[in-house]
Amino acid sequence: MDSPGYILLSRLSLQERSTQALAHNIANADTPGFRAMRPVFGQVMVSLRGGGGMPGDSSMSFPQDRATWRDMAPGSLQTTGNKLDLAIDGEGFFVVETPQGERYTRAGRFSIGANGRLVDQEGNAVLDSRSRPIAFSAQDTQIEITKGGVIQSENGPIATLQLVRFENPQNLMAEGNRLFDAKNEAPVPVERPKVVQGALEGSNVSPILEMTRLTAEMREFQYASMFTEREGERITNAVERIMRRRSS
């Protein structure tokens, strides 16, 4: 395969990944607290010393898969009326305890588990400001949560939600569609949290925009595929002409 063929194959592989990222965003357009993913591409220059290019060329450029960027723009708040649905208006993450350790989420669709603990949709315990699971008694029926994250009932204060932020949120590693792993990033307490009770933060994905992007990416993939086919035909025809000349 010559240089144009390699360049086209590298383009097709990255075009496929871009399409997959857009499809993943669309699939999570209704996932509370979901953050859209954007692939980041660059280019790498390869020296052509020793042949492989056109006469006079010294290098050629390949597209390069460099990273994945996460759109941290907030989603819209949706009122649910459920006392245990919580949204963060502004920066910050809730902290939950998983079998793999502490994880962070913006998805505040919580409920009370069988053991009286406040849990997320996967059953992970929600942690308070002292990194302890938040638990309710059977007598706690009127649950109220203040803007500052203080949880109380008719029996008095229960706990304060732990809300944290990160200096470099792009370094967070997604686990599934709702949780983030901080890896080497140290969480910082949110000084002035803004918790909204009875609401959820929606995904920050705009389905219409994502569908438009997906359509454009698919067209680009088709164009590159057509170009690859024509390049293959060109090489085949060139080889056939050379073989005919040699045999004549």
Side-chain angles (χ1 to χ4, degrees), residues 160-238:
T160 300
L161 285 165
Q162 182 177 178
L163 270 74
V164 300
R165 63 180 180 84
F166 297 91
E167 296 294 340
N168 299 299
Q170 289 297 329
N171 291 336
L172 298 176
M173 300 294 294
E175 288 189 0
N177 299 324
R178 299 180 181 88
L179 301 181
F180 294 98
D181 183 359
K183 293 297 182 182
N184 297 323
E185 284 291 313
V188 180
V190 177
E191 294 182 359
R192 296 181 179 179
K194 296 180 180 178
V195 178
V196 181
Q197 187 179 19
L200 288 174
E201 179 187 6
S203 167
N204 67 353
V205 172
S206 171
I208 295 177
L209 289 177
E210 296 300 294
M211 285 298 298
T212 302
R213 291 178 178 136
L214 182 60
T215 301
E217 291 290 346
M218 292 179 66
R219 287 177 179 172
E220 290 289 337
F221 188 88
Q222 291 171 351
Y223 292 152
S225 299
M226 291 172 58
F227 200 100
T228 303
E229 292 176 1
R230 292 175 181 175
E231 182 64 16
E233 293 173 359
R234 182 188 68 82
I235 295 174
T236 301
N237 293 334

Side-chain angles (χ1 to χ4, degrees), residues 6 19 39-40 44 50 52 57 71 78 82 117 136 148 164 206 211:
Y6 286 116
T19 301
V40 179
V44 57
D57 291 342
D71 185 356
Q78 306 163 359
N82 187 334
R117 290 183 174 182
F136 300 93
V164 300
S206 171
M211 285 298 298

Side-chain angles (χ1 to χ4, degrees), residues 90-149:
E91 65 176 354
F93 294 86
F94 299 109
V95 184
V96 298
E97 184 178 54
T98 74
Q100 294 74 36
E102 291 187 0
R103 295 296 184 264
Y104 308 92
T105 183
R106 297 274 299 192
R109 179 167 286 167
F110 301 140
S111 60
I112 299 178
N115 54 5
R117 290 183 174 182
L118 185 67
V119 297
D120 66 6
Q121 289 179 268
E122 282 74 36
N124 301 311
V126 182
L127 302 183
D128 65 10
S129 56
R130 298 182 180 181
S131 295
R132 299 181 304 186
I134 298 171
F136 300 93
S137 68
Q139 289 72 38
D140 295 323
T141 58
Q142 302 297 320
I143 299 172
E144 300 292 334
I145 302 173
T146 68
K147 188 175 182 180

Side-chain angles (χ1 to χ4, degrees), residues 6-7 10 14 41-48 59-66:
Y6 286 116
I7 294 173
S10 63
L14 298 191
F41 301 133
Q43 66 176 3
V44 57
M45 302 298 292
V46 177
S47 175
L48 292 179
S59 64
M60 63 180 176
S61 175
F62 288 92
Q64 181 185 35
D65 186 355
R66 299 194 59 185

Side-chain angles (χ1 to χ4, degrees), residues 35 55 84 107 110-111 114 152 175 198 242 245:
R35 294 292 183 262
L84 296 180
F110 301 140
S111 60
Q152 54 194 14
E175 288 189 0
I242 293 173
R245 288 183 180 181

